[in-house]
Amino acid sequence: MNKIKEIRVANNSDFKLEKRAESNGNNLSGYAIIFDQPSEDLGGFIEYVDRSALDGVDLSKVQLLYNHNWDNILARTDSSTLSLQVDDRGLFFNAQIPDTTLGNDVSENVRNGNLKGCSFGFTIRNDSWQNTTSDTAIRHITEIDDLFELSITPMPAYQETTVSKRSLDKFKQQEIKSLGSELELIKLRSELYGY
């Protein structure tokens, strides 16, 4: 049986960007998937990604693309230029963007606020549907089978996804300084990640 590859992209003019310290480096980070948040209307249905949807998913061969274009690879997990972490909020990524025309253009567009969100390409193992007889059905993605790409995009399907440019070294220095107090660490994460 062929798996249907799905990509989440939709118009989104009301997006929030997390601003972090600027640097000369090309590190981009943010949340590519946010749990339990509604997508934009995807053509008759609104979708939610459940907190358990990424349990057991192999994240070792995920690629970060620009706008879902396989010719525009920015980073990848199997070359250690992309790191992924699932936490209570969703799927957080940190990418070392190459010093190329594309990498520099994407980085500058993120910094300027022209690119504000992320999207993802995946296949489904399990999902559930509600309100299928109404104008807008609700879909819950309960298990993702394969997550093959993340994309920095001007049109994310989920308003809560983020991408921002920051200095990894500055972040690490701030994190080390705050290790003395758990309260300071929680405050720093709250400021950096917006939760």
Side-chain angles (χ1 to χ4, degrees):
M1 175 171 102
N2 286 339
K3 296 177 186 177
I4 298 172
K5 291 183 178 180
E6 299 188 39
I7 295 176
R8 290 296 166 261
V9 180
N11 189 18
N12 181 10
S13 60
D14 227 13
F15 190 75
K16 298 176 188 173
L17 171 65
E18 294 178 358
K19 290 280 187 186
R20 298 197 181 122
E22 298 298 329
S23 74
N24 293 330
N26 282 333
N27 286 318
L28 296 181
S29 62
Y31 279 88
I33 299 174
I34 302 289
F35 298 137
D36 301 323
Q37 293 294 316
S39 69
E40 296 291 309
D41 188 324
L42 298 173
F45 70 98
I46 293 174
E47 186 174 76
Y48 292 81
V49 178
D50 290 358
R51 289 184 185 277
S52 62
L54 290 171
D55 290 356
V57 175
D58 180 8
L59 301 176
S60 66
K61 294 186 179 179
V62 177
Q63 297 183 34
L64 178 66
L65 309 177
Y66 170 62
N67 211 22
H68 299 287
N69 186 332
W70 290 97
D71 292 330
N72 292 328
I73 297 174
L74 296 168
R76 52 191 306 151
T77 55
D78 58 357
S79 66
S80 300
T81 54
L82 176 64
S83 63
L84 303 175
Q85 179 181 350
V86 178
D87 61 24
D88 289 341
R89 188 173 179 202
L91 179 65
F92 182 80
F93 74 91
N94 186 46
Q96 298 168 2
I97 303 301
D99 186 13
T100 61
T101 300
L102 174 66
N104 292 323
D105 287 350
V106 168
S107 238
E108 186 65 13
N109 276 309
V110 169
R111 191 182 68 74
N112 287 331
N114 296 327
L115 296 174
K116 297 185 177 188
C118 296
S119 194
F120 56 101
F122 62 105
T123 58
I124 294 290
R125 180 172 292 150
N126 281 314
D127 60 1
S128 65
W129 291 84
Q130 299 170 326
N131 304 332
T132 54
T133 58
S134 71
D135 288 341
T136 306
I138 304 295
R139 181 189 195 193
H140 286 272
I141 297 175
T142 56
E143 287 182 89
I144 290 176
D145 189 38
D146 185 29
L147 179 66
F148 48 89
E149 59 108 344
L150 308 176
S151 279
I152 296 173
T153 178
M155 299 180 347
Y158 290 85
Q159 290 186 14
E160 299 299 319
T161 61
T162 59
V163 61
S164 61
K165 183 177 177 183
R166 67 180 171 93
S167 165
L168 182 58
D169 291 336
K170 187 168 185 173
F171 172 74
K172 286 180 179 178
Q173 289 171 0
Q174 289 173 338
E175 201 169 44
I176 289 168
K177 287 178 185 176
S178 68
L179 286 177
S181 166
E182 186 64 30
L183 183 57
E184 287 179 33
L185 182 58
I186 291 169
K187 181 181 176 187
L188 177 63
R189 285 184 178 156
S190 175
E191 289 172 0
L192 289 175
Y193 304 128
Y195 60 87

